[in-house]
Amino acid sequence: MELQSEVPEKYIKKDRNGEPLDDHFPVMEIPVIDLGVLWTSSNSRDELEKLRSALGSWGCFQAINHGMTPEFLDKMREVTKEFFELPMEQKQKYSKENNDFQGYSNFLVLSEQQKLGWSENLYLAIKPEDQCKLELWPEKPEVFRSILHEYSIKLQLITEVVFKAMASSLNLGDDHFLDQYGERAKMSAKFNIYPPCPRPDMVLGMNPHADGSAITLILQDKSTEGLQFLKDNQWFRAPVIPEALLINVGDQAVISSNGIFKSLVHRVVTNSKKERMSLVVFYIPELDKEIEPFEELVDESRPKLYKKVKNYPEFYLRHYQLGKRPIEAARIET
């Protein structure tokens, strides 16, 4: 997507509330969680309390000491940028087909009313391995496939630690989240590049949404901000910590926690000077698993807030297309 002097109408966001699309917002004050402490499980109570507080207020945290070196994370950023720098005809060899999320595209449309995001994307299933469409894994840059495979293995370990810590923070058994989500839970990677945009005041890189995953793991650009979260009707900028992964709660963990954890609406803004990348990995429970609040978190003081849901991605897409926030559609009416 080349820098243009004019922006096509299909990208221009007209907000009836006159909402600004710039970066002049306060920075989020979200906790930094040391996964190394959670890994050892000794002296981790303070870290667990920080985790519960973070997920119950901001719905996200910055994870450090996650087992990946800064050099490895820089290599992931590098191969992401190198893929999007390929000639268009080479990228289009990996184009997604109709009704399939996997593959390359320079827009993602979930509803007819949706304005396009100013971005290019590559969406790939990375776990379980038999769900991967390896023909869509780029052959260039040459290290792309091997480094993505290594990244997926490392993320598998990280998600296990995070889910066990989330359970412990709620005084539940370690495997509560993992058991509910299934051994064949899916992990999908979405590589993003956001080119410079001539009208960042009118165009978003990604439209406002909350994730339909259980959790989402984000490797941000090393130096350029762009991700923003909405809390108490105020947008906040997500800070960049180059060696950290930003991990946020998706709707399905909200349901499992009976609303104790939050999934905040977020978006990506553009800028006129710098390109920005990100690598987002969604952890999605098995589609035939029933996702519902853990019974230990339901009592007279906190009744069951959410319905039992199967195949949440389909549920999410159906309600998103109707202009509704899916997690609200999953709430039990009182």
Side-chain angles (χ1 to χ4, degrees):
M1 185 184 295
E2 298 179 357
L3 182 61
Q4 305 171 32
S5 59
E6 297 295 330
V7 174
E9 177 69 23
K10 62 185 178 180
Y11 291 98
I12 295 175
K13 185 176 187 298
K14 297 176 180 177
D15 193 300
R16 61 176 179 272
N17 297 320
E19 177 186 271
L21 300 182
D22 58 26
D23 57 1
H24 300 298
F25 294 107
V27 175
M28 301 168 65
E29 296 181 1
I30 56 173
V32 175
I33 302 294
D34 188 334
L35 294 192
V37 173
L38 299 179
W39 233 305
T40 61
S41 74
S42 60
N43 303 317
S44 62
R45 178 45 55 184
D46 288 347
E47 217 67 8
L48 288 174
E49 290 177 0
K50 279 173 58 180
L51 178 67
R52 175 167 174 161
S53 174
L55 298 186
S57 54
W58 290 104
C60 61
F61 65 95
Q62 300 269 20
I64 60 170
N65 290 338
H66 40 58
M68 292 186 282
T69 66
E71 292 77 17
F72 179 76
L73 296 181
D74 284 346
K75 190 64 178 176
M76 287 303 309
R77 294 181 176 106
E78 183 181 330
V79 298
T80 299
K81 291 182 177 181
E82 286 178 358
F83 169 75
F84 288 113
E85 288 169 356
L86 292 173
M88 181 59 71
E89 59 268 20
Q90 290 192 40
K91 291 184 286 190
Q92 288 179 335
K93 290 194 300 184
Y94 307 104
S95 292
K96 65 173 63 175
E97 298 179 356
N98 290 336
N99 302 317
D100 189 356
F101 274 86
Q102 292 198 61
Y104 166 79
S105 70
N106 55 11
F107 59 86
L108 177 63
V109 179
L110 297 180
S111 69
E112 292 182 1
Q113 296 77 28
Q114 176 185 329
K115 289 294 183 179
L116 299 186
W118 193 262
S119 65
E120 294 181 56
N121 319 108
L122 176 67
Y123 197 105
L124 301 171
I126 57 176
K127 291 286 183 180
E129 291 190 8
D130 61 9
Q131 298 295 306
C132 300
K133 292 187 174 182
L134 293 180
E135 68 273 16
L136 295 176
W137 287 41
E139 296 176 326
K140 291 184 178 180
E142 292 181 358
V143 298
F144 188 101
R145 292 185 173 191
S146 60
I147 195 170
L148 178 56
H149 178 68
E150 185 178 352
Y151 191 63
S152 69
I153 292 172
K154 293 178 183 294
L155 286 190
Q156 188 79 38
L157 296 173
I158 292 169
T159 56
E160 289 180 12
V161 171
V162 170
F163 281 126
K164 288 181 178 182
M166 288 167 60
S168 295
S169 77
L170 297 172
N171 296 313
L172 301 171
D174 282 357
D175 294 330
H176 263 56
F177 285 97
L178 292 169
D179 288 345
Q180 187 176 83
Y181 296 160
E183 293 182 357
R184 286 179 54 79
K186 184 177 180 180
M187 293 175 67
S188 296
K190 184 166 176 272
F191 299 79
N192 304 296
I193 202 79
Y194 302 97
C197 177
R199 292 303 305 268
D201 58 321
M202 301 175 68
V203 176
L204 285 169
M206 177 66 70
N207 288 305
H209 67 286
D211 293 340
S213 58
I215 60 172
T216 302
L217 305 97
I218 305 172
L219 176 63
Q220 296 199 81
D221 192 283
K222 191 173 182 177
S223 59
T224 305
E225 290 184 4
L227 180 62
Q228 299 182 348
F229 285 80
L230 184 65
K231 186 175 187 293
D232 301 327
N233 296 314
Q234 164 77 58
W235 286 105
F236 291 85
R237 291 154 41 214
V240 171
I241 302 178
E243 71 275 16
L245 294 176
L246 193 152
I247 300 178
N248 68 272
V249 170
D251 287 354
Q252 296 192 64
V254 175
I255 295 172
S256 300
S257 70
N258 200 30
I260 294 175
F261 297 153
K262 312 298 182 190
S263 60
L264 296 190
V265 169
H266 48 281
R267 67 182 185 183
V268 174
V269 297
T270 57
N271 73 77
S272 61
K273 298 181 175 62
K274 294 182 179 180
E275 176 184 81
R276 177 180 177 272
M277 62 71 61
S278 68
L279 171 52
V280 181
V281 174
F282 304 98
Y283 184 103
I284 302 167
E286 290 182 28
L287 299 184
D288 60 353
K289 287 288 188 180
E290 294 182 330
I291 309 302
E292 62 180 326
F294 296 126
E295 59 182 21
E296 296 92 336
L297 303 179
V298 177
D299 56 30
E300 290 183 2
S301 64
R302 191 178 188 87
K304 186 176 181 180
L305 298 178
Y306 295 97
K307 309 167 188 174
K308 184 184 298 185
V309 181
K310 270 189 177 183
N311 193 353
Y312 192 81
E314 188 277 332
F315 178 92
Y316 178 98
L317 184 59
R318 177 158 38 93
H319 287 89
Y320 188 96
Q321 290 173 332
L322 294 174
K324 300 177 181 178
R325 187 164 176 205
I327 192 63
E328 294 303 321
R331 285 186 72 94
I332 293 173
E333 296 181 7
T334 57

